[in-house]
Amino acid sequence: QVQVVESGGGLVQSGGSLRLSCAASGSIFSINAMGWYRQAPGKQRELVAHIINGININYADSVKGRFTISRDNAKNTVYLRMNSLKPEDTAVYYCNANILQEYGGRYIAYWGQGTQVTVSS
């Protein structure tokens, strides 16, 4: 019943910008963390940016100063604004949401299907 869906990926030139969106929907009581991860071919999935408990934000060193994560709690949506994109940012970007479906239950991590971001040189 819970769905996590990303959008906004695509092809962009080096130096360009892109904004990714991710919306969680379905049976949701609370979300204590939402974030973005990426995986390039032959590489491990890595954290890009993460918001925990609405205030604790982590960024990968490689994207600090270029990417900005934000969250709309009322809409269960997280965004990733990516500026000054580089070819090395090319990857599949995945949204993650840690979700409590009902009071007294347990938080479970849900993942989106991924969206391709390709940065040309």
Side-chain angles (χ1 to χ4, degrees):
Q1 286 184 300
V2 173
Q3 291 185 317
V4 178
V5 181
E6 307 104 326
S7 63
L11 175 64
V12 65
Q13 296 182 78
S14 181
S17 298
L18 210 57
R19 187 181 72 167
L20 306 183
S21 299
C22 171
S25 62
S27 180
I28 298 172
F29 183 82
S30 181
I31 300 175
N32 67 4
M34 295 189 78
W36 293 93
Y37 295 74
R38 68 186 182 186
Q39 187 167 23
K43 302 292 183 64
Q44 295 290 320
R45 183 176 60 189
E46 65 175 354
L47 172 70
V48 177
H50 205 174
I51 298 178
I52 302 173
N53 295 323
I55 58 173
N56 187 4
I57 299 176
N58 297 315
Y59 291 99
D61 288 341
S62 60
V63 308
K64 287 181 179 177
R66 299 188 298 119
F67 291 11
T68 302
I69 188 170
S70 61
R71 178 179 168 183
D72 185 336
N73 293 330
K75 297 182 181 296
N76 293 323
T77 300
V78 66
Y79 305 93
L80 185 69
R81 167 61 69 180
M82 303 183 292
N83 295 324
S84 301
L85 283 162
K86 306 173 181 178
E88 51 262 46
D89 294 318
T90 296
V92 178
Y93 284 69
Y94 297 93
C95 178
N96 169 264
N98 206 38
I99 296 172
L100 180 70
Q101 292 189 263
E102 63 181 5
Y103 179 79
R106 299 176 181 178
Y107 283 92
I108 298 173
Y110 290 86
W111 293 88
Q113 79 287 350
T115 184
Q116 177 71 46
V117 172
T118 302
V119 184
S120 64
S121 60

